[in-house]
Amino acid sequence: MPSDLEGAMETLIMVFHRYAGTEGNSATLSRKELKQLMEMELSSFLKSQKDPAAIDKIMKDLDTNGDGEVNFEEFVSLVVGLSIACEQIYQKQKQTAGQKKP
Ligand SMILES: [Ca+2]
Ligand SMILES: [Ca+2]
């Protein structure tokens, strides 16, 4: 049985390759594959982005080596960035909950 963290890492790898294998290079996400991944796996985050060009912006930000595709390393930086943002919200909620003492 993998631990929670080991399971999370495995999930990250599986999700990436599920979408990366749809077209073209099976080791990288094209713009279309990234869009599909975001719509299916990060829909609540994508909904908070009201900009219709959000995918293009995200793609440009992620594609640090400039080859027009998102590899696993570049994808992980998105997950890390989102995780940091979520953790900050979690901390805030924890603080607010703590202040609700009678
Ligand atoms: Ca691909
Ligand atoms: Ca790239």
Side-chain angles (χ1 to χ4, degrees):
M1 269 289 280
S3 71
D4 285 353
L5 192 55
E6 285 165 349
M9 291 192 288
E10 199 185 321
T11 303
L12 216 53
I13 295 165
M14 298 304 285
V15 166
F16 176 82
H17 282 282
R18 192 185 305 152
Y19 291 89
T22 309
E23 63 169 18
N25 190 337
S26 62
T28 55
L29 294 167
S30 64
R31 186 193 172 281
K32 197 175 139 197
E33 287 168 339
L34 178 70
K35 187 169 180 271
Q36 240 164 24
L37 187 154
M38 301 278 302
E39 280 173 357
M40 299 299 288
E41 311 291 337
L42 293 165
S43 56
S44 53
F45 168 74
L46 203 62
K47 266 179 216 146
S48 70
Q49 302 273 312
K50 291 192 177 78
D51 185 355
I55 285 283
D56 291 309
K57 260 170 82 180
I58 293 163
M59 181 97 200
K60 219 179 136 199
D61 285 348
L62 291 181
D63 187 16
T64 45
N65 66 2
D67 64 352
E69 300 260 317
V70 174
N71 62 27
F72 187 68
E73 201 182 321
E74 291 165 344
F75 169 70
V76 165
S77 74
L78 169 72
V79 177
V80 169
L82 287 175
S83 302
I84 292 169
C86 289
E87 196 268 347
Q88 283 167 348
I89 295 166
Y90 171 77
Q91 272 198 31
K92 249 180 218 159
Q93 281 174 346
K94 232 175 103 183
Q95 274 174 10
T96 317
Q99 283 162 1
K100 274 178 190 160
K101 276 174 197 157

